[in-house]
Amino acid sequence: TYGRLSRAGVVAFASSLDQPGPMTKRVRDSALALEVMAGQDSKDQTTSSKPIESWVDACKNFSSIKGMKVGLIKEYMDHEVDDDVSEGFKKAKQSLEAQGAEIVILSMPHLKFSVPVYYLICSSEASSNLGRYDGVRYGHRADFNKKPAGSLEEFYSRTRAEGFGEEVQRRILLGVFSLSSGYFDAYYKKACQVRRLILNEYNEAFKSCDVILSPVASTTAFGLSERVHDPMKMFLNDYFTTSVNLAGLPGITVPIELGSKKLPTGVQLLAPHYDEMNLFKAAEGLEREFQFYKKEPEL
């Protein structure tokens, strides 16, 4: 959940979306890491004072998820995905049903706006956060020994052009545009309003279910630099994950199987704010069923 972990020491990208979390090979390893990392931090005023639960014990003493209500979002199921992704999701759903979970179909019509809303908000916040990397106080500084800067503007321009990659520059430019006079209300403000609608839909959905199950990405892993020249295709691959950050929800991805191309497919589980307990229980149930990492020693 946004606020569970301190962001102190993390390079700020989009402050209202940024939330660090562990990457592990097993669900219970993730639970252990989160137990250690979570908690209130005086260096980050957004951290929560809510007590830390024993998520590791919940994983170790796991019995069943019988009676747990698992939500499936209609708009997600209608979204086109690779055959391998679809098959992995289908098997995860069947596994949860076989373990006694009750499937609930949900409708969240505003989720279709999550990708553009996410990129408008994150780019706007990034353009502000990354403004500090000017080569004077923070970050890279261009080499002016051979060719000195003729003005302060040239100093900044050369430094930031060298220090930021193409994608970072693209997001800064988009963010500056959406925050500029005359466009703020039409873009950034409107994105924030739709973000609230998405959060409201999640809050309403969790009145009917304990966790939500969905794919993680539209495709299996693609090659390094394969889509670097097609940013729109890259953005759309985030369809299932962007709304999680917009709503500040806790989420976990669990690998299910290797697909036809021998690439792993997985599913995403989401829970209400500060309900990581149910999240780990559902994830542990899936992991025990599929045992993706069969040779990993138990913690």
Side-chain angles (χ1 to χ4, degrees):
T1 307
Y2 185 88
R4 272 289 194 194
L5 299 180
S6 172
R7 291 180 293 120
V10 176
V11 174
F13 166 57
S15 301
S16 73
L17 303 170
D18 294 344
Q19 181 65 100
M23 295 178 67
T24 64
K25 286 189 174 183
R26 291 171 60 87
V27 171
R28 65 183 62 184
D29 294 348
S30 181
L32 175 61
L34 189 64
E35 275 191 38
V36 174
M37 297 164 65
Q40 194 169 20
D41 182 4
S42 60
K43 294 182 179 179
D44 180 1
Q45 297 304 310
T46 65
T47 49
S48 170
S49 60
K50 287 185 177 292
I52 308 303
E53 300 172 283
S54 184
W55 300 306
V56 175
D57 288 344
C59 292
K60 286 184 176 180
N61 302 326
F62 174 83
S63 55
S64 77
I65 55 170
K66 188 174 182 180
M68 181 180 286
K69 293 184 178 180
V70 178
L72 302 182
I73 302 173
K74 181 181 180 296
E75 287 74 15
Y76 278 174
M77 292 189 290
D78 292 341
H79 188 72
E80 187 176 342
V81 296
D82 279 3
D83 290 342
D84 285 345
V85 174
S86 177
E87 187 63 23
F89 175 73
K90 182 180 177 181
K91 289 183 177 179
K93 171 181 170 290
Q94 291 173 341
S95 169
L96 291 172
E97 283 184 297
Q99 294 181 59
E102 178 186 342
I103 301 298
V104 180
I105 305 299
L106 309 166
S107 180
M108 299 177 62
H110 287 99
L111 283 187
K112 64 184 177 183
F113 301 116
S114 59
V115 172
V117 166
Y118 173 85
Y119 279 102
L120 269 170
I121 291 176
C122 77
S123 297
S124 298
E125 294 185 7
S127 68
S128 176
N129 278 325
L130 298 178
R132 74 191 71 179
Y133 292 91
D134 54 10
V136 178
R137 296 164 296 171
Y138 296 96
H140 169 82
R141 177 184 294 187
D143 185 359
F144 295 102
N145 292 325
K146 293 182 180 180
K147 184 185 176 183
S151 65
L152 185 61
E153 183 179 354
E154 183 185 347
F155 175 89
Y156 289 148
S157 179
R158 283 171 56 185
T159 292
R160 290 169 69 80
E162 286 182 17
F164 293 136
E166 186 176 315
E167 178 61 29
V168 179
Q169 292 182 38
R170 182 183 295 115
R171 296 195 185 194
I172 290 174
L173 289 171
L174 175 61
V176 170
F177 175 80
S178 64
L179 292 175
S180 61
S181 177
Y183 295 99
F184 179 88
D185 287 347
Y187 292 98
Y188 182 73
K189 182 180 178 181
K190 185 64 67 176
C192 290
Q193 290 171 333
V194 179
R195 178 186 190 175
R196 183 69 208 188
L197 293 176
I198 291 172
L199 173 59
N200 290 344
E201 285 187 345
Y202 269 120
N203 289 337
E204 190 63 30
F206 283 122
K207 292 179 181 178
S208 305
C209 64
D210 300 303
V211 296
I212 290 175
L213 176 73
S214 80
V216 183
S218 304
T219 66
T220 51
F222 43 86
L224 185 65
S225 301
E226 188 177 309
R227 299 185 182 180
V228 71
H229 300 298
D230 191 348
M232 283 305 298
K233 189 175 284 188
M234 291 278 284
F235 293 168
L236 291 174
N237 209 44
D238 297 335
Y239 177 72
F240 298 106
T241 53
T242 47
S243 63
V244 187
N245 294 83
L246 291 172
L249 297 172
I252 188 171
T253 61
V254 183
I256 298 300
E257 63 177 3
L258 292 177
S260 60
K261 299 177 182 178
K262 301 301 179 185
L263 291 169
T265 62
V267 293
Q268 173 181 247
L269 288 162
L270 310 177
H273 295 112
Y274 300 105
D275 191 11
E276 285 85 0
M277 184 63 79
N278 270 330
L279 199 64
F280 281 121
K281 286 180 180 178
E284 181 73 16
L286 278 177
E287 185 178 76
R288 292 191 182 199
E289 175 75 16
F290 292 99
Q291 297 182 332
F292 192 82
Y293 294 105
K294 293 180 180 178
K295 296 182 180 180
E296 286 298 313
E298 191 169 300
L299 187 66

